[in-house]
């Protein structure tokens, strides 16, 4: 794939569109929301400084970079504490904090590739086709990952979902 | 995707991750940059004006100097060429040289009356 040169404006747009979703994604790996934010920053600052040759699908790179940086942080004992389920990194519009915590817990329990698809789809607003391109797998694979993930989440959130 | 999936997606979107804090380069907003530019411009203008005045003394200032010099020629005598301490030392050590030095200084410091149209000569004739 041809490396693509991103301008500062490109990076800003990416940050505005995917920053919150990437933050949620990073939070699903590390215990501390502050560290998750630092991880997202680190990835974008590297982009701004031109330290990274950008592949054709920047979103895919961003998710990979956040994931790897978060895993490195965990491995290096950044925070050895278990994932803190009481820290809110998702906020319910109607103020249902319990549901938000239940959703967080359910997301953390999902297999990584399913969680990634959910975050990309729900909070990055990507289509399944875009996710398939970003992940470099077939649309069918992404669709089934997504379906399984939704089933699990639905099961966990049943007590909170209003009819 | 079934309608139930759509409905559940909609429900999931009711949960939002917080917006991460601004990136370092975003914290400097445009108004702040404009303020900094304006401050820099003011400092430049003030420095430039001061420098200009330093290099081009005003007409008023120059007149004052000339006027002072004309009205009080004796002030010139108190300049660097005639300072009290060296002259005193010279008077003690070598009075002859002191006389010579005073004579030389008087030609520079006092009004010159040797010229045909000097003020003193005109006054003397009257």
């Amino acid at each position: 794939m041809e490396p693509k040169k991103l301008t500062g404006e490109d990076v800003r747009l990416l940050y505005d569109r995917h920053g919150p979703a990437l933050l949620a994604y990073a939070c699903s790996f590390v215990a501390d929301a502050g560290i998750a934010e630092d991880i997202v920053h680190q990835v974008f600052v590297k982009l701004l400084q031109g330290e990274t040759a950008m592949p054709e699908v920047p979103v895919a790179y961003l998710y990979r970079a956040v994931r790897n940086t978060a895993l490195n942080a965990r491995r290096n004992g950044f925070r050895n504490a278990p994932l803190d389920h009481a820290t809110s990194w998702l906020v319910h519009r109607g103020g249902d904090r319990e549901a938000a915590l239940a959703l967080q817990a359910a997301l953390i329990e999902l297999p990584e590739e399913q969680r990634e698809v959910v975050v990309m789809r729900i909070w990055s607003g990507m289509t399944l086709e875009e996710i398939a391109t970003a992940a470099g797998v077939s649309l069918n694979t992404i669709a089934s990952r997504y379906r399984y993930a939704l089933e699990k989440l639905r099961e966990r959130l049943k007590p909170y979902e209003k009819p | 995707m079934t309608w139930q999936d759509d409905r559940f997606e909609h429900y999931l979107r009711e949960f939002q991750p917080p917006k991460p804090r601004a990136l370092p380069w975003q914290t400097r907003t445009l108004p702040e940059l404009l303020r900094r530019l304006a401050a820099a411009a003011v400092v430049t203008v003030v420095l430039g004006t001061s420098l200009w005045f330093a290099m081009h003394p005003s007409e008023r200032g120059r007149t004052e100097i000339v006027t002072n010099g004309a009205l009080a020629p004796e002030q010139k005598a108190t300049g660097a060429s005639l300072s009290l301490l060296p002259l005193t030392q010279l008077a003690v050590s070598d009075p002859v040289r002191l006389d010579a030095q005073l004579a030389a200084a008087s030609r520079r410091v006092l009004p010159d009356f040797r010229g045909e149209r000097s003020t003193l000569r005109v006054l003397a004739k009257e």
Side-chain angles (χ1 to χ4, degrees):
Chain A
M1 241 187 281
E2 269 300 299
K4 185 183 169 189
K5 191 87 181 157
L6 287 181
T7 64
E9 182 62 11
D10 292 334
V11 178
R12 192 185 64 78
L13 289 174
L14 281 172
Y15 190 73
D16 286 347
R17 185 178 169 195
H18 300 288
L22 287 165
L23 180 58
Y25 187 54
C27 281
S28 70
F29 289 100
V30 292
D32 190 309
I35 292 172
E37 203 171 42
D38 288 345
I39 287 166
V40 175
H41 266 208
Q42 203 176 319
V43 168
F44 276 92
V45 166
K46 274 184 185 169
L47 272 187
L48 279 172
Q49 291 170 342
E51 287 177 18
T52 315
M54 179 55 66
E56 209 164 285
V57 189
V59 186
Y61 162 79
L62 289 172
Y63 274 89
R64 287 281 84 73
V66 166
R67 176 186 168 277
N68 293 340
T69 313
L71 289 178
N72 280 341
R74 244 165 62 172
R75 209 172 298 131
N76 295 338
F78 218 143
R79 281 286 188 278
N80 285 326
L83 288 177
D84 182 3
H85 290 234
T87 305
S88 289
W89 38 270
L90 286 174
V91 179
H92 185 243
R93 209 185 295 154
D96 192 344
R97 189 163 187 269
E98 274 185 41
L101 293 175
L103 174 57
Q104 285 176 200
L107 278 170
I108 289 167
E109 284 168 17
L110 286 179
E112 204 183 297
E113 66 273 6
Q114 291 181 15
R115 187 198 314 156
E116 192 180 83
V117 177
V118 171
V119 174
M120 284 177 160
R121 171 88 183 120
I122 303 294
W123 294 294
S124 265
M126 295 164 74
T127 64
L128 293 180
E129 287 81 0
E130 285 172 330
I131 298 169
T133 310
V137 294
S138 72
L139 178 59
N140 281 341
T141 307
I142 290 297
S144 58
R145 281 179 190 173
Y146 187 57
R147 201 168 48 245
Y148 288 131
L150 284 192
E151 273 172 24
K152 288 173 191 165
L153 293 178
R154 191 183 290 126
E155 195 58 39
R156 288 293 299 269
L157 290 172
K158 209 177 270 175
Y160 306 98
E161 204 181 354
K162 289 182 182 83
Chain B
M1 292 273 285
T2 63
W3 68 270
Q4 287 160 312
D5 288 341
D6 287 339
R7 207 173 132 263
F8 189 61
E9 268 193 351
H10 184 75
Y11 174 63
L12 287 180
R13 287 200 180 95
E14 288 180 12
F15 299 87
Q16 284 298 318
K19 218 176 165 187
R21 67 178 188 271
L23 286 172
W25 55 276
Q26 286 183 309
T27 51
R28 283 183 190 169
T29 55
L30 187 63
E32 190 192 343
L33 284 177
L34 287 176
R35 275 202 301 275
R36 280 167 185 249
L37 272 177
V42 168
V43 169
T44 308
V45 166
V46 168
L47 282 178
T49 310
S50 310
L51 201 63
W52 190 87
F53 274 111
M55 293 173 73
H56 303 88
S58 67
E59 284 300 315
R60 187 170 164 266
R62 222 180 295 161
T63 311
E64 274 175 10
I65 291 165
V66 171
T67 309
N68 286 344
L71 288 176
E74 69 277 8
Q75 281 183 2
K76 282 202 284 185
T78 59
S81 58
L82 288 180
S83 50
L84 201 56
L85 187 62
L87 288 178
T88 312
Q89 286 171 341
L90 201 60
V92 174
S93 60
D94 192 353
V96 181
R97 234 180 101 209
L98 174 70
D99 286 343
Q101 197 157 340
L102 285 177
S106 69
R107 282 195 286 277
R108 274 186 288 118
V109 174
L110 298 174
D112 189 3
F113 54 88
R114 288 172 301 178
E116 225 18 70
R117 295 186 163 191
S118 72
T119 314
L120 283 179
R121 188 153 293 204
V122 170
L123 286 172
K125 278 181 185 172
E126 283 175 3

